[in-house]
Amino acid sequence: MPEASARPRDAALGSGLGRVLILVYGVFALSASARALVQITTHFSEAPLAYLLSAFAGLVYISATVGLAVGGVRGRLIALVSCTIELLGVLTIGILSVADAGDFPDDTVWSRFGSGYGYVPLVLPFIGLWWIWRHRPRN
Amino acid sequence: MNGPLSVVTIVAALVLAAWYLLRSALNRAPSRVDLLLAAAFSVLIAVFTVVAVVSLFGDSRPSDTATFVGYLITTFAFIPVALYLARLEPTRWGSLILGVACLVIPVLVLRLQQIAEVTGA
C-alpha cells in the first residue's frame, strides 16, 4: 500500500485489530444494505417503514466503516456520528420492537436489539465508540 | 440443502473458528498449515455451493431465488476473501480474521437453509 505514510495514525486500516473491526463493520454494511435493496426492490409496499429503516441502517454502517477506516479528524467525526446513530438506533428500535411489534411488521437489523444477527448490532457500536475513544487525540 | 453436507460445513466452520480464535489468543500469526486449512475449507464450501446451485434447477426451487443466490455468492466468496486478508496481516489479527470469517459461515448456511425451505412450488 503506497499511501501508508500519508495515513492518519488513528486510521483503523493501519493496525491489525482495526482491520478485523473494519472487516466486521464491512460485513454488516454489506448485509444490511443488500438486504434493504432486496426488500425495497421486491416488496416495498409490505412494510415501507421497516425497509427504509433497513436502508438507513445500511448507510450508517457504510459511513461508520469508512470513517473508522480512514481516520483523521474527518474520519473520526464521521465514525463518531455513525456509531452514535447506530447505538441510538439499535436501542430505540430494539425497545420499540419489543414493546410493540405492530409498528415493525418485518425485521430490520436493529429489531429486538439485533437478535436476528446474534446481537452483534448491539455490541458493534460499543466497540466502534471504544475504538474512537482509545484513539482520541492526545493534547 | 438440509443434507449432511450442510452439517459437515457448519461443524467444520465451528471447529476451524475455535482453532483460529485459539491461535489468535495465543498471539500466533496464521501459519502455513492454517492458511492451507482455510484453503481446504474453501474447497468444501465450493462443493456446497455447487450442490446448492444444482438444487436451484430441481423442483424444490426457493421462491426467493434472488436472495438465495445473493447469500450463495457471499458464502462462496467469504473464506477466500478472508484468506486473502489474513495473508496481508501476518500477525495474531490475521488469525482473528480467519476465526471471525469461520464464525460467519454457519450463519450464512443457516440462512440459506431457511430461504430454501420456502419453495414456490
Side-chain angles (χ1 to χ4, degrees), chain A residues 1 15-17 19-20 23-24 27 30 35 38 42-43 116-117, chain B residues 64 67 71 74 78 85 88-89 91 93 96-97 100-101 104 111:
Chain A
M1 285 174 212
S15 81
L17 180 59
R19 286 178 187 153
V20 180
L23 176 73
V24 177
V27 167
L30 189 73
R35 183 182 195 187
V38 169
T42 58
H43 42 271
Y117 291 80
Chain B
D64 199 351
T67 311
Y71 269 98
T74 313
F78 214 88
L85 293 175
L88 289 181
E89 184 63 40
T91 64
W93 308 117
L96 186 58
I97 287 176
V100 169
V104 174
R111 269 301 280 162

